[in-house]
Amino acid sequence: MKNFKKKCLILLLAAAAAVLMTSCSGFAPDKNSDQVTLSIMGKESDLNKSYMTKIFDLYEKSTGNKLDIISFEDSEYETTAVQKFAKGDVPDIFLHFHNADLNRFNVADNFCFLNDEKWVDDLTDGAAAYCRDKDGNLLGLPFWENSVSGCYYNKTILDGLGLKPATNQAEFDVLCQVLADTGYTPICWPADGCSWMAQFGLDPIFADDPALLERLNKNEVSYADILEVNNMVDWIAGAADKGWFGADYLETGWSEISPAIGSGEAVMTFIWDTWFDTDFEPGGKYSKDDFAVMPVFMNTADGGTYEGGNLNMMMVNKNSENLEASLDFLDFCADPENYNKAFEGISTVNCFKGQTTNIQSKPVIDAAASIAANERVSTAASRINGYSADDVAAALHDMLSGKTDARGCIKRMDEYRITEAQNQVSDEF
């Protein structure tokens, strides 16, 4: 009996030890486990967004895998990343917007086309369109905040004057003149260092005519040959001359937009909806609740235009030793349960059809029909070879400050674009 009890005790201790080893295995995987470490490269400010840190933490806790976050200061990102790529130091996951700078990274040789991934059908049409190249290949997962850019206007001021938002270019021009005659600055145009405005006007020219875009990118035509580009630059010059941008627009920069709009000094500005949550400073006469949105009118599309969001894409290194795990990481991020946790309470238009926890701004909701009819995917910044928003802004600034005229401005836009295209990608140039 004593020997029997001793044998039982030995068996029980062995069983307990086995259970203990099993229960610890999740916390200390052995060297032969399937755990991997994925490298993710991006701008410092981008990687620190709350929805990014949430999805990273969720992934590590859910899978046991690790993420090596490689961040560079925003202004150094493009140059440093190019240097890394030149040395063959390409991360598993690379974050980038679909703009002209992406051409510096040899997309076809370095990254997977993601056309057949299981999450593609869950992308909204606009988000998917933004991430496709000229041949229709999906370059990345758009895991980002999605904004709607348009002409945001003070509806309280317009209502008080008995005015209505415009539905075509002629109405918009009349509206601007009436506001100027009444003593308001119709449009806050931040010409000192802000560079996004012109792309809103250029988008419909090329989004609506892909053949024209292709001819421009093959150097068969120039901006100077395109009537709508001439119309846009003439409109900007004329708006400034008529006082529609106010008296000090050449000294108005990023920091001056909020005071001008919040005080009611300026009635409208060309910007995006998330700006009102992230950068609009409360405390002025008007709050974000006083604003609504109509299309941008810059004499290139009679019905005006909205620009869909510029989206940060998660791109996968096709030559990675962790290729399968990298694609699985995108699957994880694109799972509705996971992206809804990450974007809970974030002000953004949907990138995914299954998004339910994000917040959509009231101006965008109220203008849904107008947006559906007039929104274009961001085209100028992402599809024109050699496009640089800073270069366009510099050419416009020269015109607005009297250093050149409208035709000279367009000539400089062409020169800047062609030089940049020659430096980047295009054999045609």
Side-chain angles (χ1 to χ4, degrees):
M1 178 66 71
K2 187 180 292 184
N3 289 336
F4 176 76
K5 289 183 178 179
K6 185 176 181 180
K7 289 179 180 179
C8 287
L9 180 60
I10 291 171
L11 290 171
L12 286 170
L13 289 172
V19 170
L20 182 61
M21 289 175 66
T22 302
S23 66
C24 291
S25 65
F27 299 96
D30 62 44
K31 294 181 180 179
N32 296 319
S33 72
D34 293 331
Q35 185 187 56
V36 298
T37 297
L38 297 177
S39 57
I40 300 180
M41 183 183 291
K43 293 180 181 178
E44 184 176 11
S45 66
D46 292 347
L47 293 168
N48 287 331
K49 296 285 189 182
S50 63
Y51 44 86
M52 300 299 286
T53 58
K54 279 185 180 180
I55 200 67
F56 294 159
D57 290 344
L58 187 61
Y59 173 78
E60 290 187 328
K61 291 176 181 177
S62 299
T63 66
N65 291 337
K66 300 298 180 183
L67 298 175
D68 177 20
I69 305 300
I70 305 167
S71 64
F72 300 111
E73 197 276 322
D74 289 17
S75 64
E76 300 173 356
Y77 182 61
E78 301 293 343
T79 301
T80 306
V82 167
Q83 293 169 350
K84 290 281 187 182
F85 275 58
K87 296 176 182 178
D89 189 3
V90 181
D92 298 311
I93 307 292
F94 182 60
L95 267 63
H96 206 284
F97 290 85
H98 192 183
N99 56 30
D101 282 322
L102 185 59
N103 293 320
R104 303 166 72 184
F105 295 94
N106 198 348
V107 171
D109 287 346
N110 283 318
F111 300 106
C112 293
F113 292 147
L114 303 170
N115 306 329
D116 299 322
E117 296 304 300
K118 62 185 181 182
W119 40 262
V120 173
D121 288 342
D122 190 37
L123 297 179
T124 61
D125 291 345
Y130 178 84
C131 297
R132 295 191 187 279
D133 66 13
K134 63 181 181 180
D135 298 317
N137 295 305
L138 192 70
L139 303 180
L141 173 72
F143 196 90
W144 199 244
E145 60 193 64
N146 193 357
S147 59
V148 174
S149 296
C151 178
Y152 285 82
Y153 66 93
N154 191 317
K155 62 183 179 182
T156 303
I157 291 178
L158 259 60
D159 288 346
L161 295 172
L163 300 173
K164 296 183 180 298
T167 61
N168 57 52
Q169 186 69 51
E171 291 178 359
F172 185 74
D173 290 350
V174 170
L175 175 63
C176 288
Q177 192 58 55
V178 170
L179 288 171
D181 292 344
T182 310
Y184 290 98
T185 295
I187 303 167
C188 177
W189 182 277
D192 184 14
C194 296
S195 61
W196 62 82
M197 296 84 74
Q199 73 190 51
F200 300 160
L202 292 171
D203 278 346
I205 301 173
F206 301 105
D208 297 353
D209 192 346
L212 179 61
L213 175 62
E214 184 175 0
R215 292 179 64 204
L216 183 74
N217 283 338
K218 288 183 176 180
N219 205 22
E220 295 174 356
V221 296
S222 65
Y223 286 147
D225 301 320
I226 301 171
L227 175 62
E228 293 86 353
V229 175
N230 285 268
N231 289 344
M232 182 190 79
V233 174
D234 287 340
W235 183 88
I236 293 170
D241 289 342
K242 296 168 188 171
W244 293 357
F245 300 157
D248 57 354
Y249 63 94
L250 288 173
E251 289 76 46
T252 298
W254 176 259
S255 299
E256 286 72 47
I257 303 173
S258 186
I261 291 295
S263 67
E265 175 189 342
V267 179
M268 302 180 284
T269 195
F270 299 157
I271 207 145
W272 46 93
D273 60 318
T274 55
W275 177 85
F276 285 92
D277 289 319
T278 58
D279 297 279
F280 182 70
E281 298 173 3
K285 183 176 181 180
Y286 299 99
S287 73
K288 69 177 185 178
D289 295 332
D290 290 298
F291 291 86
V293 65
M294 62 176 141
V296 168
F297 294 96
M298 230 179 289
N299 210 26
T300 60
D302 189 58
T305 188
Y306 301 91
E307 185 186 61
N310 289 275
L311 306 174
N312 217 347
M313 304 182 296
M314 292 180 175
M315 305 176 69
V316 175
N317 175 3
K318 68 190 294 184
N319 305 305
S320 168
E321 294 180 357
N322 298 318
L323 177 57
E324 184 176 352
S326 298
L327 293 170
D328 287 344
F329 172 74
L330 263 62
D331 288 346
F332 183 90
C333 294
D335 184 285
E337 181 177 352
N338 298 330
Y339 63 62
N340 274 314
K341 288 179 181 177
F343 283 97
E344 184 174 4
I346 300 296
S347 179
T348 173
V349 175
N350 289 16
C351 280
F352 301 96
K353 295 173 184 174
Q355 271 184 282
T356 58
T357 59
N358 55 304
I359 301 168
Q360 295 199 35
S361 70
K362 190 174 187 302
V364 168
I365 293 172
D366 290 345
S370 176
I371 293 169
N374 297 294
E375 185 179 36
R376 276 90 172 176
V377 66
S378 179
T379 302
S382 62
R383 308 290 168 85
I384 296 176
N385 287 346
Y387 185 85
S388 164
D390 289 340
D391 286 347
V392 174
L396 289 171
H397 194 279
D398 284 349
M399 177 185 72
L400 294 171
S401 58
K403 296 178 181 178
T404 188
D405 59 11
R407 303 287 78 74
C409 173
I410 296 171
K411 181 180 179 181
R412 293 182 188 188
M413 287 169 58
D414 271 323
E415 290 170 348
Y416 291 146
R417 175 183 57 83
I418 292 171
T419 298
E420 189 63 28
Q422 289 172 335
N423 292 335
Q424 287 183 3
V425 289
S426 296
D427 294 336
E428 290 85 352
F429 291 88

